[in-house]
């Protein structure tokens, strides 16, 4: 049985995006038409649309209510224990509940689509696995060579909703038919990173210099990263990361607002892509709170909302 998907097209440029509605509302294809030539922006496994591939390994997975890892497989919160989902192979939960389940399309036009996920309606068992019900709404809109996305989180419950949100795009390298991924230069405006112990933040911050000096730009050939970066540099409430491909003379930019406070940067072992992942929180945020590294986890009171946005463009 085919998994529901939606394709949107910008009528002026011909740029297009395809979203797998039935499995995580993952935008797994984005073809930007630059000066009349199509650029395949996102890396995806060949059979991803079948729903049989790992959902966090292609396209733009939506990570909620926890992006990255939470320590162990149980969350203890407000005197109760909640069994978590996801398996990182190290005994920890990873990436939340929204990327594996079907979403609902609530609005659609030729160049835009809006999807909605409410835990209690999609899978009531999630209410046994998280402290409160939640609604996540994601929009994708094309304009020229830009794909913009707005994400809104709502608390429809009568209990507080702790949460973290992340987006996990796989950017295909190089940005065209010529050259190699190694020639591309990746720039991310971050000042520090968190030391990781067994892939979880220890709480210690270190300067993002040398082999993690992304603020100054780094050749992809020199990148060996799966790191959590912090102290993002914003200008007028926005940060911008980029990938420059000198051979194809194209630049991909990813701009995101200050709702995203951390950035994970990861180059998969196949080295055909780089992931620049804005998060609203530090992975394992509950442990980081207990250690006093950060304040209380971001929480919505009943009826409250949170929104953030990002956009991807190719020039």
């Amino acid at each position: 049985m085919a998994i529901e998907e939606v394709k949107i097209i910008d009528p002026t440029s011909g740029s297009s995006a395809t979203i797998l509605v039935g499995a995580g509302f993952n935008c797994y294809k984005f073809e930007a038409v630059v000066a009349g030539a199509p650029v395949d922006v996102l890396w995806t496994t060949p059979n991803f649309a079948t729903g049989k591939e790992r959902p966090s390994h292609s396209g733009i997975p939506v990570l909620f209510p926890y992006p990255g890892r939470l320590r162990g497989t149980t969350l203890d919160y407000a005197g109760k224990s909640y069994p978590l989902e996801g398996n990182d192979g190290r005994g920890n939960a990873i990436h939340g509940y929204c990327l594996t389940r079907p979403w609902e399309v609530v609005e659609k036009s030729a160049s835009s689509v809006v999807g909605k996920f409410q835990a209690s309606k999609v899978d009531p068992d999630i209410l046994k696995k998280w402290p409160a019900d939640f609604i996540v709404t994601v929009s994708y809109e094309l304009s020229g060579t830009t794909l913009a996305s707005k994400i809104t989180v709502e608390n429809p419950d009568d209990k507080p909703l702790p949460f973290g949100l992340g987006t996990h795009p796989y950017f295909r390298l190089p940005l065209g038919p010529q050259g190699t991924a190694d020639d591309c230069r990746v720039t991310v405006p971050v000042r520090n990173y968190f030391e990781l112990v067994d892939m979880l933040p220890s709480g210690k911050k270190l300067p993002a210099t040398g082999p993690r000096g992304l603020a100054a730009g780094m050749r992809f050939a020199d990148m060996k990263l799966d790191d959590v970066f912090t102290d993002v540099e914003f200008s007028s409430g926005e940060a911008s990361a980029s990938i420059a491909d000198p051979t194809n003379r194209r630049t991909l930019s990813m701009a995101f607002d200050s709702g995203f406070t951390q950035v994970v940067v990861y180059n998969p072992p196949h080295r055909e892509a780089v992931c620049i992942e804005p998060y609203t929180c530090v992975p394992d945020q509950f442990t980081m709170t207990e250690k006093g590294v950060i304040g209380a986890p971001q929480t919505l009171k009943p009826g409250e909302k949170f929104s953030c946005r990002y956009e991807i463009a190719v020039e």
Side-chain angles (χ1 to χ4, degrees), residues 30-304:
F30 171 30
E31 187 176 79
V33 179
V34 182
V39 179
D40 198 2
V41 176
L42 300 173
W43 187 91
T44 306
T45 55
N47 299 312
F48 184 72
T50 66
K52 297 178 181 179
E53 303 286 346
R54 189 164 177 174
S56 62
H57 281 193
S58 294
I60 310 179
V62 179
L63 314 179
F64 190 89
Y66 47 94
R69 292 169 172 82
L70 286 187
R71 190 178 303 268
T73 57
T74 302
L75 171 66
D76 294 319
Y77 182 82
K80 294 184 179 180
S81 292
Y82 301 90
L84 302 170
E85 284 188 4
N87 182 358
D88 73 343
R90 298 168 178 264
N92 303 301
I94 192 168
H95 291 341
Y97 307 133
C98 294
L99 76 169
T100 59
R101 292 173 168 86
W103 289 49
E104 174 190 4
V105 173
V106 294
E107 189 177 326
K108 171 74 170 64
S109 72
S111 59
S112 67
V113 63
V114 180
K116 179 180 177 181
F117 184 105
Q118 181 165 359
S120 60
K121 293 183 178 180
V122 174
D123 184 353
D125 277 351
I126 294 176
L127 301 187
K128 303 173 185 176
K129 302 173 182 179
W130 200 250
D133 194 9
F134 55 81
I135 299 172
V136 184
T137 304
V138 174
S139 68
Y140 292 109
E141 183 173 4
L142 283 170
S143 177
T145 61
T146 298
L147 176 68
S149 179
K150 180 180 179 181
I151 307 175
T152 299
V153 179
E154 301 176 63
N155 180 1
D157 213 323
D158 58 3
K159 299 170 287 186
L161 169 64
F163 76 94
L165 166 70
T167 184
H168 193 322
Y170 285 75
F171 295 123
R172 183 184 295 274
L173 301 178
L175 302 176
Q178 308 299 319
T180 68
D182 284 350
D183 295 328
C184 295
R185 189 171 186 85
V186 180
T187 304
V188 186
V190 288
R191 294 195 299 272
N192 295 299
Y193 73 100
F194 281 101
E195 175 189 61
L196 299 182
V197 177
D198 295 328
M199 299 306 297
L200 290 163
S202 70
K204 183 179 181 180
K205 287 202 297 187
L206 298 166
T209 56
R212 295 178 177 83
L214 288 168
M218 183 182 299
R219 287 186 73 236
F220 185 70
D222 300 326
M223 292 179 64
K224 295 180 180 178
L225 297 176
D226 189 357
D227 289 272
V228 181
F229 292 88
T230 190
D231 297 320
V232 182
E233 295 182 344
F234 292 93
S235 176
S236 300
E238 184 174 274
S240 183
S242 66
I243 302 167
D245 181 340
T247 305
N248 291 287
R249 300 180 67 180
R250 291 171 181 153
T251 298
L252 180 149
S253 62
M254 182 182 194
F256 52 92
D257 70 22
S258 57
F260 294 106
T261 59
Q262 322 291 321
V263 183
V264 172
V265 179
Y266 168 55
N267 47 267
H270 55 69
R271 299 195 67 82
E272 296 175 2
V274 62
C275 300
I276 302 172
E277 313 166 36
Y279 286 10
T280 64
C281 66
V282 180
D284 198 24
Q285 61 171 326
F286 296 94
T287 303
M288 293 298 96
T289 296
E290 291 172 4
K291 290 184 175 183
V293 176
I294 60 173
Q298 191 165 3
T299 303
L300 294 180
K301 297 176 182 178
E304 284 189 333

